[in-house]
Amino acid sequence: MNLAAVDLNLLVALDALLREENVTVAGQRVGLSQPAMSHALARLRELLGDELLVRTGRRMHRTALGHQLMPTVRRLISDLEATLLSRRGFEPSTSQRRFRIAANDHAGAVMLPALFARLRSAAPGVQLDVLPQGDGLPLELATGELEGAIGTFLDVAPPLVDRVLFREGFACVIRRDHPIGRLTLRSYLELDHLVIASPGYGPGVVDFALEARGLARRVAMRVPHFLVAPAIVARTDLVLTLPRRVLAVATDRRLRVTKPPIPLSDFAVQLVWHRRSDSDAGATWLREQIIACARSL
DNA sequence: TGCGACAATATCTAGGGTCG
DNA sequence: CGACCCTAGATATTGTCGCA
């Protein structure tokens, strides 16, 4: 294949097609109409001698080759983006760039209000997309899909880089008119617990601390997001152990906040990024904003 | 069976390259 | 510099599939 004879714009179309598995959406993503994208797909099929996407009912699915090409194509596109963006530099006041970061519930609620205010003031044109943390986080960072991730990460290894934004401790919460008096270790174990089953923080630390003393708590309910948890505690006899800073954003007058009746080690909230984005002036600027924001917490 | 969603196709247009 | 050609993208339309 003669590379000079290949329209490298097709690489952009291929990237969008493989990621979206949808011709219409892929077209919207790169600013083409559906027929134009369909035409690009036809040219790619001709060029590569493979269907790349096959229709199954109403959906399109990647072929084996499509699946195999996807990470390579993504890496090529994102390397190109990073190269061009870093050469251009980054001007916050005029930038229209869209940044994407992942954040868990806790980090998001604690960091995002201040971060967004900071971005709005310094860079009114930039857009910030915050996505949930999925299993594919390392790949998303490596391919430039995400500029960074905020949360608790136990094993960060090169080429990923991390920086501790702040350390977080725990508090216990029960409803203000709860019949139980002081929250002692004994009453803590007698009560039913509400657990926030969000990965990366909280429950694990509590359970390990209890287990080290040969104790265990009784979990009556699990919720995926901590923002609903205080409202549930306010109307039930459940006890909730949660990161302390959460209470600053989810305050409820019906709640009584106490110290946990057992010592719980605090945990780090980190910013993680891929080394490749060190050469991306915009991503570097965004990281500086996040770090400055954490410092002001 | 009709409708909506989405991919593919037909046809037209505009922009860029080549050549005389 | 103008005529011509090629190609990508747009609009309009058709085909296919799933669902109520």
Side-chain angles (χ1 to χ4, degrees):
Chain A
M1 186 190 296
N2 178 12
L3 201 58
V6 178
D7 176 2
L8 292 182
N9 269 323
L10 284 177
L11 210 58
V12 178
L14 178 60
D15 177 50
L17 284 163
L18 294 177
R19 285 164 80 184
E20 300 294 346
E21 292 184 292
N22 179 314
V23 176
T24 305
V25 176
Q28 287 165 350
R29 190 181 185 107
V30 301
L32 291 180
S33 64
Q34 177 272 317
M37 197 42 119
S38 178
H39 191 200
L41 176 57
R43 276 177 284 144
L44 283 162
R45 284 169 169 165
E46 171 75 24
L47 187 71
L48 298 170
D50 186 274
E51 282 293 294
L52 298 168
L53 293 176
V54 288
R55 202 162 162 165
T56 316
R58 200 182 275 191
R59 290 219 54 204
M60 298 287 266
H61 292 285
R62 290 182 286 268
T63 62
L65 181 68
H67 200 75
Q68 185 192 330
L69 287 176
M70 189 166 73
T72 309
V73 172
R74 182 84 282 273
R75 197 163 50 245
L76 285 168
I77 294 288
S78 63
D79 281 352
L80 200 57
E81 280 173 352
T83 304
L84 297 176
L85 289 171
S86 68
R87 275 182 61 79
R88 267 212 326 249
F90 179 75
E91 183 46 61
S93 61
T94 55
S95 174
Q96 300 288 313
R97 184 164 167 187
R98 182 166 68 113
F99 289 109
R100 285 149 301 192
I101 60 171
N104 64 20
D105 240 15
H106 166 236
V110 172
M111 293 280 303
L112 291 179
L115 178 62
F116 183 72
R118 196 180 182 91
L119 295 187
R120 183 73 346 163
S121 138
V126 307
Q127 184 186 331
L128 182 66
D129 287 355
V130 181
L131 298 121
Q133 278 173 21
D135 295 337
L137 188 63
L139 180 66
E140 287 169 330
L141 291 169
T143 58
E145 182 88 354
L146 293 173
E147 270 84 18
I150 306 172
T152 298
F153 308 94
L154 298 178
D155 38 10
V156 178
L160 295 183
V161 188
D162 77 312
R163 167 149 182 170
V164 174
L165 294 172
F166 58 88
R167 296 197 70 81
E168 177 68 294
F170 290 93
C172 286
V173 177
I174 51 176
R175 68 182 163 92
R176 190 168 285 285
D177 52 357
H178 200 292
I180 204 147
R182 218 164 68 83
L183 191 66
T184 61
L185 180 56
R186 184 172 172 174
S187 55
Y188 186 72
L189 295 173
E190 277 170 4
L191 288 173
D192 283 335
H193 288 246
L194 172 61
V195 167
I196 300 157
S198 179
Y201 73 92
V205 175
V206 175
D207 294 318
F208 290 138
L210 289 172
E211 197 183 328
R213 295 165 172 235
L215 303 169
R217 60 178 172 173
R218 206 167 54 235
V219 176
M221 187 176 185
R222 288 176 189 275
V223 292
H225 307 296
F226 72 81
L227 282 177
V228 299
I232 295 168
V233 172
R235 290 161 167 261
T236 63
D237 285 342
L238 298 175
V239 59
L240 171 67
T241 309
L242 79 175
R244 216 164 26 217
R245 283 187 175 83
V246 169
L247 293 166
V249 290
T251 49
D252 192 314
R253 282 185 295 112
R254 296 167 295 175
L255 296 178
R256 175 146 54 102
V257 181
T258 68
K259 253 179 64 178
I262 47 163
L264 298 172
S265 54
D266 59 5
F267 63 96
V269 173
Q270 301 138 280
L271 170 62
V272 176
W273 68 96
H274 194 279
R275 203 174 268 160
R276 63 182 292 287
S277 75
D278 283 345
S279 59
D280 177 345
T284 303
W285 175 84
L286 178 67
R287 285 199 301 275
E288 287 165 3
Q289 304 312 304
I290 293 170
I291 291 164
C293 199
R295 217 177 280 133
S296 68
L297 283 176

